[in-house]
């Protein structure tokens, strides 16, 4: 029995005259992902993408998992392909569908007849296929048309018929790259990987900048961040992480400036450096995991002061979320456990005992003038090296 994967579009169906652009992008991304799992044919018709294995060596389970992690897809299901005649449809209903219903008590069948030349309408198909399933399962399951455990679908398309039981929710969102390129400030914490995932879901192709402060931060801390990037890359595709040292900047801040301004001054350097890294790598915005009021550097006043040092728009998808909401997403994308591993990052060294929560820009600039700002920025940029965090899916 031939089995394929069916992927249903999400928001792409609303794109009108631009729909083909997004469809082509989504199919290219699925073809790229498919290379890891074997030789597949990927086609599309009627807001559905068909992923067909072309030989027995294809890893259908792996491809299904990859499709589930692909932004732009709303629902994914495994389906059996059969001929467009009633005998073959009934055979597949008896042989293929019961395995999907073993742990269910109720089901219903929905028929869809795109090919209007097929002699049975949608209602006929639902009744016929439902009867075959009931017979094959010997009374182990019942029909419930209102609140079924599983919906079985039989679809009559132009070239074939498809039967599948139960759709799995896809990643949703828009295809990667459809909204341009963005650079995420990626730390080892909970919030920034979530921010990267959320903006990637909206169609941004993501690169990352990570700031380290060796020897105050360790190689293990850096590896933690690369591992987080790999987990996000399961959705976003491979992420290039640009690593930059802030050691000398932090030492100069600690040596020359008032302690309660340390964090604000450091974050201003981060925004300036990140803007230059973004421009170098053709990213048109910065992305942070900031959540309003979560820590001292994320008050409205502090955000205003640090944003002043950036030369690109800053996207903050977590800004209105509380910690529980952010953690829920982190658990969903499997970054939470890695994020809470106890390795330091540059923001946890030289931390002031009493940071300014309502800073004034003019006073921050007075402190900043004690430093050779431009020279320190250029020195930091010269330390950049890049690590490719590859998707494991």
């Amino acid at each position: 029995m031939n089995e394929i994967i069916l992927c249903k579009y999400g928001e792409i169906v609303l794109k009108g005259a631009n729909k083909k652009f997004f469809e082509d992008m989504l199919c290219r991304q699925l073809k790229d992902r498919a290379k890891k799992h074997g030789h597949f044919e990927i086609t599309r018709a009627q807001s559905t993408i068909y992923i067909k294995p072309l030989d027995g060596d294809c890893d259908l389970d792996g491809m299904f998992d990859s499709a589930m992690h692909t932004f732009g897809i709303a629902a994914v299901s495994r389906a059996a392909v059969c001929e467009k005649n009633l005998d073959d449809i009934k055979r597949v209903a008896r042989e293929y569908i019961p395995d999907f219903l073993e742990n269910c008590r109720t089901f219903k069948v929905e028929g869809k007849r795109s090919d209007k030349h097929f002699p049975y309408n949608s209602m006929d198909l639902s009744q016929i296929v439902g009867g075959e399933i009931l017979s094959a399962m010997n009374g182990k399951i019942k029909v419930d048309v209102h609140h079924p455990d599983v919906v079985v679908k039989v679809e009559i398309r132009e070239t074939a018929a498809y039967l599948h039981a139960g759709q799995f929710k896809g990643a949703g969102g828009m295809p990667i790259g459809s909204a341009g390129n963005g650079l995420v400030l990626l730390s080892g914490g909970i919030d920034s990987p979530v921010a990267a995932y959320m903006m990637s879901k909206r169609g941004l192709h993501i690169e990352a900048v990570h700031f380290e402060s060796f020897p105050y931060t360790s190689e293990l801390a850096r590896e933690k961040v690369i591992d987080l990037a790999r987990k996000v890359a399961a959705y976003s595709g491979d992420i290039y992480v640009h690593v930059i040292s802030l050691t000398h900047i932090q030492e100069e801040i600690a040596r020359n400036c008032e302690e309660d301004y340390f964090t604000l001054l450091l974050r201003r350097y981060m925004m300036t450096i990140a803007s230059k890294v973004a421009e170098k790598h053709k990213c048109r915005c910065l992305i942070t995991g900031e959540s309003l009021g979560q820590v001292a550097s994320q008050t409205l006043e502090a955000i205003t002061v640090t944003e002043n040092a950036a030369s690109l728009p800053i996207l903050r998808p977590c800004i209105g979320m509380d910690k529980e909401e952010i953690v829920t997403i982190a658990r969903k994308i499997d970054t939470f456990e890695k994020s809470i591993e106890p390795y330091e990052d540059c923001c946890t060294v030289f931390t002031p005992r009493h940071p300014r929560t309502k800073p004034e820009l003019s006073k921050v600039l007075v402190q900043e003038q004690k430093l050779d700002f431009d020279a320190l920025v250029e020195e930091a940029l010269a330390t950049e090296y890049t690590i490719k965090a590859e998707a494991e899916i």
Side-chain angles (χ1 to χ4, degrees):
M1 186 179 301
N2 294 326
E3 191 175 19
I4 68 169
I5 298 170
L6 300 180
C7 301
K8 303 290 186 179
Y9 297 169
E11 294 179 50
I12 292 176
V13 298
L14 306 175
K15 292 302 177 181
N18 294 320
K19 181 179 174 183
K20 184 178 183 301
F21 166 80
F22 294 98
E23 289 177 324
D24 289 345
M25 185 172 284
L26 180 56
C27 284
R28 284 196 301 270
Q29 288 167 16
L30 283 169
K31 288 176 182 178
D32 188 56
R33 286 175 177 256
K35 293 174 184 176
K36 295 183 179 180
H37 305 294
H39 192 200
F40 290 87
E41 178 185 64
I42 297 176
T43 57
R44 69 173 189 265
Q46 298 172 311
S47 298
T48 301
I49 294 176
Y50 300 80
I51 303 176
K52 176 184 176 182
L54 297 180
D55 56 53
D57 294 329
C58 290
D59 179 5
L60 201 64
D61 292 336
M63 188 64 231
F64 185 90
D65 198 24
S66 272
M68 289 277 291
H69 285 77
T70 302
F71 288 131
I73 293 175
V76 186
S77 56
R78 295 174 74 137
V81 186
C82 55
E83 297 180 10
K84 290 198 303 183
N85 67 68
L86 196 59
D87 287 342
D88 205 35
I89 291 171
K90 291 164 69 173
R91 177 188 65 81
V92 172
R94 292 192 304 270
E95 296 177 3
Y96 181 72
I97 297 298
D99 285 346
F100 292 88
L101 305 178
E102 282 296 328
N103 298 317
C104 303
R105 294 180 299 175
T106 60
F107 79 104
K108 76 170 182 178
V109 179
E110 291 181 353
K112 182 177 181 179
R113 187 183 61 157
S114 299
D115 179 3
K116 301 305 180 185
H117 294 100
F118 191 75
Y120 298 90
N121 63 29
S122 298
M123 184 65 72
D124 295 335
L125 284 167
S126 297
Q127 292 174 345
I128 292 167
V129 170
E132 293 296 323
I133 293 170
L134 286 171
S135 175
M137 297 197 70
N138 297 316
K140 296 179 182 178
I141 196 168
K142 297 180 179 180
V143 173
D144 182 345
V145 297
H146 299 294
H147 303 288
D149 294 332
V150 174
V151 176
V152 176
K153 294 191 177 185
V154 51
E155 303 183 31
I156 308 299
R157 301 281 184 164
E158 295 300 322
T159 58
Y162 303 91
L163 274 79
H164 53 98
Q167 285 186 332
F168 291 82
K169 187 176 180 180
M174 298 298 295
I176 299 299
S178 60
N181 302 325
L183 182 77
V184 61
L185 280 71
L186 189 63
S187 72
I190 297 170
D191 304 338
S192 58
V194 169
Y197 161 83
M198 292 174 69
M199 295 317 304
S200 184
K201 184 175 182 178
R202 297 312 310 154
L204 277 180
H205 175 266
I206 298 295
E207 296 197 26
V209 59
H210 172 64
F211 296 107
E212 63 180 5
S213 296
F214 185 81
Y216 307 106
T217 60
S218 66
E219 291 184 10
L220 289 174
R222 182 188 61 221
E223 286 304 314
K224 171 186 172 180
V225 170
I226 302 305
D227 286 342
L228 286 169
R230 290 191 186 103
K231 289 182 178 295
V232 176
Y235 296 90
S236 69
D238 298 344
I239 297 175
Y240 288 95
V241 183
H242 310 291
V243 184
I244 289 179
S245 173
L246 294 181
T247 303
H248 190 207
I249 289 176
Q250 291 187 272
E251 290 173 342
E252 287 297 295
I253 291 173
R255 187 177 297 117
N256 293 286
C257 303
E258 295 179 20
E259 182 184 348
D260 49 349
Y261 288 96
F262 284 3
T263 301
L264 291 163
L265 293 167
L266 177 63
R267 290 187 65 79
R268 282 178 58 82
Y269 273 103
M270 287 179 172
M271 294 300 180
T272 299
I273 293 167
S275 296
K276 291 181 180 297
V277 172
E279 290 166 359
K280 175 182 175 181
H281 297 287
K282 296 180 171 53
C283 296
R284 300 181 64 182
C285 66
L286 303 180
I287 303 160
T288 74
E290 291 166 301
S291 174
L292 188 62
Q294 183 172 251
V295 294
S297 63
Q298 294 174 14
T299 64
L300 189 58
E301 294 85 351
I303 287 173
T304 301
V305 165
T306 57
E307 184 174 60
N308 174 264
S311 60
L312 291 174
I314 302 174
L315 305 183
R316 300 179 175 91
C318 303
I319 195 70
M321 302 170 67
D322 62 32
K323 200 65 178 183
E324 184 177 349
E325 292 171 313
I326 297 171
V327 166
T328 297
I329 297 174
R331 291 187 186 279
K332 171 186 171 182
I333 64 176
D334 193 32
T335 57
F336 178 74
E337 294 300 329
K338 178 61 64 173
S339 290
I340 61 175
E341 289 180 359
Y343 298 116
E344 68 291 330
D345 63 39
C346 67
C347 292
T348 62
V349 297
F350 299 101
T351 303
R353 289 165 294 180
H354 304 290
R356 293 265 175 170
T357 58
K358 295 186 178 182
E360 298 176 30
L361 180 58
S362 59
K363 294 181 179 179
V364 174
L365 292 176
V366 169
Q367 295 295 314
E368 196 169 86
Q369 287 167 5
K370 299 177 181 180
L371 306 163
D372 191 343
F373 190 90
D374 292 340
L376 287 170
V377 167
E378 291 305 313
E379 180 185 326
L381 288 169
T383 69
E384 178 185 345
Y385 63 94
T386 301
I387 300 172
K388 183 180 180 181
E390 297 188 17
E392 297 177 351
I393 292 179

